[in-house]
Amino acid sequence: MVVAAGSNVAKFKLRRGNSSTHNVVSGDNSDGDLSRMNSSVCFPSMVEVERDPSCVSFTTFNILAPIYKRIDPQNPGLRESDFRSLWLARNERILDSLLSESSSIMCLQEFWVGNEELVHMYEERLGDAGYRLFKLARTNNRGDGLLTAIHKEYLSVVNYRELLLNDFGDRVAQLLHVQSVSPLLKNQKGSFHQEFLMVNTHLLFPHDSSFCIVRLHQVYQILQYVELYQRENRLKPMPIILCGDWNGSKMGHVYKFLTSQGFVSSYDIASQYTESYADSNKWVSHQNHRGNICGVDFIWLCNPNQARKPLKTSWAEAVFSMLKYQLRKASLSEDNAFAFLKGDHCVDSVTYFSFSEALRKVKLFDVPYGLCFQQLQDLWNQADVDGNGVIDYEEFKQKIWNSTCPEHVLENLIGSMEDSNTDQEQETIGFKVNNAMLFPHEVEKGLWPEDYSLSDHARLSAVFSAARMRCSVSQNCT
């Protein structure tokens, strides 16, 4: 089955995947990584004597595939995959680390699916600890892929889908519809089972600025399919969790796009960090191959009571934000930017032709992996507010130059208040962020420890607890 995503780059295939299942055996929590967690916070560890069943814990970890791990800086072609003893020992330690936490759900990226011995090791150890495994290779035999492990004692998988984005980065994503094994909160109608949708993915690395539009569209496709899955299955409002290596920081366009769609970063919520530049540098999670450190690993949460703009609108605003960034980077003022979009035409407005020419000049359109003609048309329709075939100065300011995140938030709040007065509401269960942490702990202070060798990424874990909330039927967060 192939579903068009509105792009010549990105049409994605959807398929149901197979999983491997194993028996339940107890795990271990010997490394003490969770010692900083407040004792009142429940983290679903296998060794806890008393466990609050309303808690669900997530771990996301890019474990650095041996085929990418460089052994000698002077010889980039020498990789860990050439030395069995090295990758075997490191992955045994990774598994020890994961099993010590015993999170309800583990989301791994850069999992070496091309090596049968390593795959068997993960299947055996995680299977024996009670996890059901779902693995997905990247397309075009890249060698690595994704692994999602769900603890069968706490959670059952209602449905599993694989998303093949079929872009030039051969990126993929896993979508799982998950339900708690035991009922949680009760009301007059009976007991609730916690249900939620979750995604595990790994976005393209931004080798240069021209890749930004591709990364943005990868997220757009994923959210498109989440909406499609909810609509086709007529799902009730439920939380959405996005886990993975997003290969972009809090200051990037992907982060802003996701926040405009109602998602919040669980680690930032737990740490009470804002979206300010100062807070964006307080933690890191990755030391890339260039030696730079940055925060790129996230566990995103969108609750069912969160008002959201139409997905296409948020996507267009994100692209306009990229356009504005390019214009300001060229030191253009507001007036000069409008003149740039007008081009050489004498009329005091932007035409479709001049608009497309301007986007071509800033390398957003008609370049490899850039916008396609349909996406260009979608952007034009968003900017031409009155539909008269041109963009005047006021439309330019409203849609391109002055569109900011605070306005997004304000519009969402106003819309949700208006809906609450007229639409029928229903009770649903969402998630509250109890806590989140990174390991090794030095990265929480923006430092990368020299003696850390598990991966070039930190491990991020978050704990959520169930919370009752009201959700407008029309809002429905789908």
Side-chain angles (χ1 to χ4, degrees), residues 11 21 52 58 66 125-126 213 253 262 286 309 320 384 413 436 445 467:
K11 291 185 178 180
T21 58
D52 184 345
F58 293 79
R125 291 198 59 187
L126 292 178
I213 193 68
H253 297 290
H286 177 40
K309 281 189 174 183
F320 287 142
D384 181 14
L413 288 175
K445 300 177 181 179

Side-chain angles (χ1 to χ4, degrees), residues 288-437:
N288 65 32
H289 60 280
R290 297 171 178 169
N292 302 322
I293 57 174
C294 45
V296 302
D297 298 272
F298 293 91
I299 299 175
W300 294 93
L301 166 66
C302 181
N303 266 319
N305 66 340
Q306 177 63 51
R308 295 165 61 188
K309 281 189 174 183
L311 182 55
K312 184 175 290 188
T313 301
S314 286
W315 177 81
E317 289 172 347
V319 178
F320 287 142
S321 176
M322 295 176 65
L323 173 60
K324 179 180 178 180
Y325 173 80
Q326 296 287 6
L327 297 177
R328 297 189 68 172
K329 188 177 179 181
S331 300
L332 295 182
S333 65
E334 179 179 309
D335 291 341
N336 290 336
F338 184 66
F340 174 76
L341 291 178
K342 288 195 306 178
D344 298 329
H345 301 283
C346 297
V347 295
D348 196 27
S349 57
V350 180
T351 66
Y352 181 81
F353 178 78
S354 65
F355 181 72
S356 62
E357 284 298 305
L359 265 64
R360 181 181 286 109
K361 289 179 181 178
V362 297
K363 298 182 179 180
L364 289 178
F365 169 65
D366 200 25
V367 294
Y369 318 118
L371 298 168
C372 70
F373 282 100
Q374 181 58 55
Q375 292 171 324
L376 179 68
Q377 184 65 53
D378 290 341
L379 289 176
W380 176 261
N381 293 338
Q382 291 284 334
D384 181 14
V385 178
D386 58 14
N388 67 347
V390 294
I391 300 173
D392 60 30
Y393 191 68
E394 289 303 316
E395 290 172 324
F396 161 74
K397 288 195 300 181
Q398 175 187 349
K399 287 295 185 177
I400 298 175
W401 199 255
N402 293 332
S403 181
T404 60
C405 287
E407 290 179 7
H408 297 173
V409 175
L410 181 60
E411 289 176 9
N412 281 341
L413 288 175
I414 293 173
S416 63
M417 288 188 293
E418 291 175 347
D419 288 343
S420 65
N421 292 328
T422 58
D423 295 329
Q424 181 182 358
E425 290 190 341
Q426 64 184 81
E427 185 176 44
T428 186
I429 300 181
F431 278 132
K432 178 179 71 174
V433 179
N434 280 8
N435 213 333
M437 63 184 300

Side-chain angles (χ1 to χ4, degrees), residues 14-29:
L14 315 175
R15 70 185 187 201
R16 292 177 175 82
N18 297 322
S19 65
S20 54
T21 58
H22 302 270
N23 295 325
V24 178
V25 178
S26 177
D28 180 286
N29 193 22

